[in-house]
Amino acid sequence: MGWASGNEIFDPVAETLIIEGASDALKKSVCSALIKALRDRDWDTEDESLGMFEHDEAIVEAFRQNGIILECHEEHPENPWQCEEERNHCGSHRDDLGNTWTDLGSLDRLISKFVQIDKGSECEFQGVVTNVQPVEQSNGKSARIVEMEHDGQWGFVYQQTAVKVTENPEGE
Ligand SMILES: [Zn+2]
């Protein structure tokens, strides 16, 4: 049995920190310690408090440090898959079984990010995205041409293509 009353302790403390204008560092360390202490006592409704303070990045980070994130929960248009990545994540959706799918309309947000595009058996390419252009496939479905910074490299991205935002290995 979990313990739901943790919110009655966490929420007023977090609210007071905000009202008093605590720095991000202070909010983060106080909230993180409090979340840990409450979870040690079986607090299991943390996501409600996270939802209440989802607009405060320092508090969201305190939850993240304790392994608690707001999930994207986007559903695959055909399959019974639900995304478990963090809300507002970049790149493909991914469920708890590792199924991935890509929301083509969100690819614009990848411009200037370093990404890895995995096309299964075909090929894999990576680099900093410089441009994303919509195209129509011969079957009438839409796709995107993703252009990369180096050597005019580009590739097609379909809904089933996995796109992952990663660190640039060259550290640029
Ligand atoms: Zn998602």
Side-chain angles (χ1 to χ4, degrees), residues 71-74 82-89 91-94 101:
E71 288 176 2
C72 165
H73 283 168
E74 182 77 18
Q82 194 177 52
C83 180
E84 292 214 324
E85 295 282 306
E86 188 164 6
R87 195 183 288 180
N88 298 322
H89 65 89
S92 299
H93 299 296
R94 173 185 290 270
W101 70 102

PDB file of all heavy atoms in Angstrom, residues 71-74 82-89 91-94 101, ligand 1:
ATOM      1  N   GLU A  71       5.492  11.916 -18.190  1.00  0.00           N
ATOM      2  CA  GLU A  71       5.656  11.187 -19.441  1.00  0.00           C
ATOM      3  C   GLU A  71       4.864  11.818 -20.576  1.00  0.00           C
ATOM      4  O   GLU A  71       3.848  12.465 -20.368  1.00  0.00           O
ATOM      5  CB  GLU A  71       5.249   9.727 -19.246  1.00  0.00           C
ATOM      6  CG  GLU A  71       6.288   8.987 -18.417  1.00  0.00           C
ATOM      7  CD  GLU A  71       5.903   7.564 -18.105  1.00  0.00           C
ATOM      8  OE1 GLU A  71       4.832   7.131 -18.567  1.00  0.00           O
ATOM      9  OE2 GLU A  71       6.687   6.898 -17.416  1.00  0.00           O
ATOM     10  N   CYS A  72       5.373  11.583 -21.780  1.00  0.00           N
ATOM     11  CA  CYS A  72       4.767  12.132 -22.994  1.00  0.00           C
ATOM     12  C   CYS A  72       3.366  11.538 -23.229  1.00  0.00           C
ATOM     13  O   CYS A  72       2.413  12.253 -23.522  1.00  0.00           O
ATOM     14  CB  CYS A  72       5.707  11.819 -24.150  1.00  0.00           C
ATOM     15  SG  CYS A  72       5.034  12.014 -25.773  1.00  0.00           S
ATOM     16  N   HIS A  73       3.253  10.205 -23.095  1.00  0.00           N
ATOM     17  CA  HIS A  73       1.966   9.493 -23.222  1.00  0.00           C
ATOM     18  C   HIS A  73       1.304   9.595 -24.586  1.00  0.00           C
ATOM     19  O   HIS A  73       0.122   9.282 -24.726  1.00  0.00           O
ATOM     20  CB  HIS A  73       0.973   9.922 -22.129  1.00  0.00           C
ATOM     21  CG  HIS A  73       1.281   9.297 -20.819  1.00  0.00           C
ATOM     22  ND1 HIS A  73       0.705   9.702 -19.636  1.00  0.00           N
ATOM     23  CD2 HIS A  73       2.128   8.284 -20.494  1.00  0.00           C
ATOM     24  CE1 HIS A  73       1.198   8.965 -18.651  1.00  0.00           C
ATOM     25  NE2 HIS A  73       2.060   8.106 -19.129  1.00  0.00           N
ATOM     26  N   GLU A  74       2.051  10.046 -25.591  1.00  0.00           N
ATOM     27  CA  GLU A  74       1.520  10.068 -26.954  1.00  0.00           C
ATOM     28  C   GLU A  74       1.245   8.631 -27.408  1.00  0.00           C
ATOM     29  O   GLU A  74       2.037   7.733 -27.132  1.00  0.00           O
ATOM     30  CB  GLU A  74       2.558  10.736 -27.866  1.00  0.00           C
ATOM     31  CG  GLU A  74       2.141  10.872 -29.307  1.00  0.00           C
ATOM     32  CD  GLU A  74       1.152  12.006 -29.538  1.00  0.00           C
ATOM     33  OE1 GLU A  74       1.039  12.907 -28.668  1.00  0.00           O
ATOM     34  OE2 GLU A  74       0.480  11.978 -30.575  1.00  0.00           O
ATOM     35  N   GLN A  82       2.205   3.367 -26.177  1.00  0.00           N
ATOM     36  CA  GLN A  82       2.131   4.673 -25.532  1.00  0.00           C
ATOM     37  C   GLN A  82       3.539   5.106 -25.137  1.00  0.00           C
ATOM     38  O   GLN A  82       4.275   4.343 -24.515  1.00  0.00           O
ATOM     39  CB  GLN A  82       1.229   4.594 -24.298  1.00  0.00           C
ATOM     40  CG  GLN A  82       0.835   5.957 -23.797  1.00  0.00           C
ATOM     41  CD  GLN A  82      -0.111   5.880 -22.615  1.00  0.00           C
ATOM     42  OE1 GLN A  82       0.163   5.205 -21.643  1.00  0.00           O
ATOM     43  NE2 GLN A  82      -1.229   6.580 -22.695  1.00  0.00           N
ATOM     44  N   CYS A  83       3.880   6.332 -25.489  1.00  0.00           N
ATOM     45  CA  CYS A  83       5.246   6.816 -25.277  1.00  0.00           C
ATOM     46  C   CYS A  83       5.540   7.028 -23.796  1.00  0.00           C
ATOM     47  O   CYS A  83       4.753   7.624 -23.077  1.00  0.00           O
ATOM     48  CB  CYS A  83       5.461   8.122 -26.044  1.00  0.00           C
ATOM     49  SG  CYS A  83       7.110   8.802 -25.836  1.00  0.00           S
ATOM     50  N   GLU A  84       6.715   6.558 -23.373  1.00  0.00           N
ATOM     51  CA  GLU A  84       7.136   6.702 -21.978  1.00  0.00           C
ATOM     52  C   GLU A  84       8.311   7.653 -21.825  1.00  0.00           C
ATOM     53  O   GLU A  84       8.905   7.744 -20.752  1.00  0.00           O
ATOM     54  CB  GLU A  84       7.524   5.337 -21.408  1.00  0.00           C
ATOM     55  CG  GLU A  84       6.342   4.416 -21.260  1.00  0.00           C
ATOM     56  CD  GLU A  84       6.483   3.503 -20.058  1.00  0.00           C
ATOM     57  OE1 GLU A  84       7.614   3.087 -19.786  1.00  0.00           O
ATOM     58  OE2 GLU A  84       5.462   3.229 -19.409  1.00  0.00           O
ATOM     59  N   GLU A  85       8.658   8.354 -22.889  1.00  0.00           N
ATOM     60  CA  GLU A  85       9.720   9.347 -22.775  1.00  0.00           C
ATOM     61  C   GLU A  85       9.207  10.539 -21.968  1.00  0.00           C
ATOM     62  O   GLU A  85       8.022  10.662 -21.706  1.00  0.00           O
ATOM     63  CB  GLU A  85      10.134   9.839 -24.174  1.00  0.00           C
ATOM     64  CG  GLU A  85      10.755   8.768 -25.056  1.00  0.00           C
ATOM     65  CD  GLU A  85      12.205   8.483 -24.692  1.00  0.00           C
ATOM     66  OE1 GLU A  85      13.003   9.424 -24.657  1.00  0.00           O
ATOM     67  OE2 GLU A  85      12.512   7.305 -24.440  1.00  0.00           O
ATOM     68  N   GLU A  86      10.139  11.438 -21.609  1.00  0.00           N
ATOM     69  CA  GLU A  86       9.717  12.609 -20.845  1.00  0.00           C
ATOM     70  C   GLU A  86       8.922  13.552 -21.744  1.00  0.00           C
ATOM     71  O   GLU A  86       9.181  13.660 -22.939  1.00  0.00           O
ATOM     72  CB  GLU A  86      10.940  13.340 -20.282  1.00  0.00           C
ATOM     73  CG  GLU A  86      10.553  14.444 -19.330  1.00  0.00           C
ATOM     74  CD  GLU A  86      11.716  14.923 -18.466  1.00  0.00           C
ATOM     75  OE1 GLU A  86      12.850  14.476 -18.673  1.00  0.00           O
ATOM     76  OE2 GLU A  86      11.459  15.745 -17.569  1.00  0.00           O
ATOM     77  N   ARG A  87       7.920  14.210 -21.144  1.00  0.00           N
ATOM     78  CA  ARG A  87       7.090  15.132 -21.911  1.00  0.00           C
ATOM     79  C   ARG A  87       7.967  16.201 -22.596  1.00  0.00           C
ATOM     80  O   ARG A  87       8.961  16.635 -22.015  1.00  0.00           O
ATOM     81  CB  ARG A  87       6.109  15.832 -20.952  1.00  0.00           C
ATOM     82  CG  ARG A  87       4.969  16.525 -21.661  1.00  0.00           C
ATOM     83  CD  ARG A  87       4.088  17.253 -20.678  1.00  0.00           C
ATOM     84  NE  ARG A  87       3.290  16.335 -19.892  1.00  0.00           N
ATOM     85  CZ  ARG A  87       2.426  16.727 -18.962  1.00  0.00           C
ATOM     86  NH1 ARG A  87       2.288  17.994 -18.691  1.00  0.00           N
ATOM     87  NH2 ARG A  87       1.728  15.836 -18.289  1.00  0.00           N
ATOM     88  N   ASN A  88       7.577  16.595 -23.786  1.00  0.00           N
ATOM     89  CA  ASN A  88       8.321  17.586 -24.594  1.00  0.00           C
ATOM     90  C   ASN A  88       9.693  17.082 -25.037  1.00  0.00           C
ATOM     91  O   ASN A  88      10.564  17.876 -25.371  1.00  0.00           O
ATOM     92  CB  ASN A  88       8.501  18.912 -23.840  1.00  0.00           C
ATOM     93  CG  ASN A  88       7.175  19.555 -23.541  1.00  0.00           C
ATOM     94  OD1 ASN A  88       6.254  19.516 -24.346  1.00  0.00           O
ATOM     95  ND2 ASN A  88       7.054  20.148 -22.363  1.00  0.00           N
ATOM     96  N   HIS A  89       9.883  15.771 -25.031  1.00  0.00           N
ATOM     97  CA  HIS A  89      11.172  15.231 -25.484  1.00  0.00           C
ATOM     98  C   HIS A  89      11.342  15.513 -26.981  1.00  0.00           C
ATOM     99  O   HIS A  89      10.373  15.743 -27.694  1.00  0.00           O
ATOM    100  CB  HIS A  89      11.229  13.720 -25.225  1.00  0.00           C
ATOM    101  CG  HIS A  89      10.252  12.913 -26.013  1.00  0.00           C
ATOM    102  ND1 HIS A  89      10.526  12.415 -27.261  1.00  0.00           N
ATOM    103  CD2 HIS A  89       8.971  12.533 -25.743  1.00  0.00           C
ATOM    104  CE1 HIS A  89       9.483  11.751 -27.712  1.00  0.00           C
ATOM    105  NE2 HIS A  89       8.510  11.810 -26.821  1.00  0.00           N
ATOM    106  N   GLY A  91      12.937  14.038 -30.676  1.00  0.00           N
ATOM    107  CA  GLY A  91      13.172  12.750 -31.304  1.00  0.00           C
ATOM    108  C   GLY A  91      11.953  11.857 -31.244  1.00  0.00           C
ATOM    109  O   GLY A  91      10.845  12.309 -30.955  1.00  0.00           O
ATOM    110  N   SER A  92      12.169  10.570 -31.541  1.00  0.00           N
ATOM    111  CA  SER A  92      11.054   9.642 -31.686  1.00  0.00           C
ATOM    112  C   SER A  92      10.385   9.328 -30.360  1.00  0.00           C
ATOM    113  O   SER A  92      10.998   9.379 -29.302  1.00  0.00           O
ATOM    114  CB  SER A  92      11.553   8.336 -32.293  1.00  0.00           C
ATOM    115  OG  SER A  92      12.086   8.585 -33.561  1.00  0.00           O
ATOM    116  N   HIS A  93       9.101   8.941 -30.464  1.00  0.00           N
ATOM    117  CA  HIS A  93       8.407   8.402 -29.301  1.00  0.00           C
ATOM    118  C   HIS A  93       8.896   6.983 -29.062  1.00  0.00           C
ATOM    119  O   HIS A  93       9.267   6.284 -29.995  1.00  0.00           O
ATOM    120  CB  HIS A  93       6.891   8.372 -29.544  1.00  0.00           C
ATOM    121  CG  HIS A  93       6.301   9.728 -29.781  1.00  0.00           C
ATOM    122  ND1 HIS A  93       6.300  10.720 -28.822  1.00  0.00           N
ATOM    123  CD2 HIS A  93       5.691  10.255 -30.869  1.00  0.00           C
ATOM    124  CE1 HIS A  93       5.708  11.791 -29.311  1.00  0.00           C
ATOM    125  NE2 HIS A  93       5.336  11.546 -30.561  1.00  0.00           N
ATOM    126  N   ARG A  94       8.869   6.548 -27.811  1.00  0.00           N
ATOM    127  CA  ARG A  94       9.318   5.201 -27.481  1.00  0.00           C
ATOM    128  C   ARG A  94       8.469   4.656 -26.336  1.00  0.00           C
ATOM    129  O   ARG A  94       8.232   5.353 -25.353  1.00  0.00           O
ATOM    130  CB  ARG A  94      10.788   5.256 -27.046  1.00  0.00           C
ATOM    131  CG  ARG A  94      11.349   3.926 -26.510  1.00  0.00           C
ATOM    132  CD  ARG A  94      12.762   4.137 -26.007  1.00  0.00           C
ATOM    133  NE  ARG A  94      13.688   4.374 -27.106  1.00  0.00           N
ATOM    134  CZ  ARG A  94      14.346   3.397 -27.746  1.00  0.00           C
ATOM    135  NH1 ARG A  94      14.207   2.151 -27.369  1.00  0.00           N
ATOM    136  NH2 ARG A  94      15.165   3.676 -28.722  1.00  0.00           N
ATOM    137  N   TRP A 101       8.386   5.355 -32.786  1.00  0.00           N
ATOM    138  CA  TRP A 101       7.739   5.947 -33.946  1.00  0.00           C
ATOM    139  C   TRP A 101       7.942   7.443 -33.894  1.00  0.00           C
ATOM    140  O   TRP A 101       8.220   8.012 -32.839  1.00  0.00           O
ATOM    141  CB  TRP A 101       6.258   5.565 -34.019  1.00  0.00           C
ATOM    142  CG  TRP A 101       5.370   6.170 -32.974  1.00  0.00           C
ATOM    143  CD1 TRP A 101       4.519   7.230 -33.115  1.00  0.00           C
ATOM    144  CD2 TRP A 101       5.225   5.735 -31.606  1.00  0.00           C
ATOM    145  NE1 TRP A 101       3.867   7.484 -31.926  1.00  0.00           N
ATOM    146  CE2 TRP A 101       4.273   6.574 -30.991  1.00  0.00           C
ATOM    147  CE3 TRP A 101       5.813   4.726 -30.836  1.00  0.00           C
ATOM    148  CZ2 TRP A 101       3.892   6.435 -29.651  1.00  0.00           C
ATOM    149  CZ3 TRP A 101       5.434   4.590 -29.501  1.00  0.00           C
ATOM    150  CH2 TRP A 101       4.479   5.438 -28.942  1.00  0.00           C
TER     151      TRP A 101
HETATM  152 ZN    ZN B   1       6.723  10.800 -26.846  1.00  0.00          ZN
END
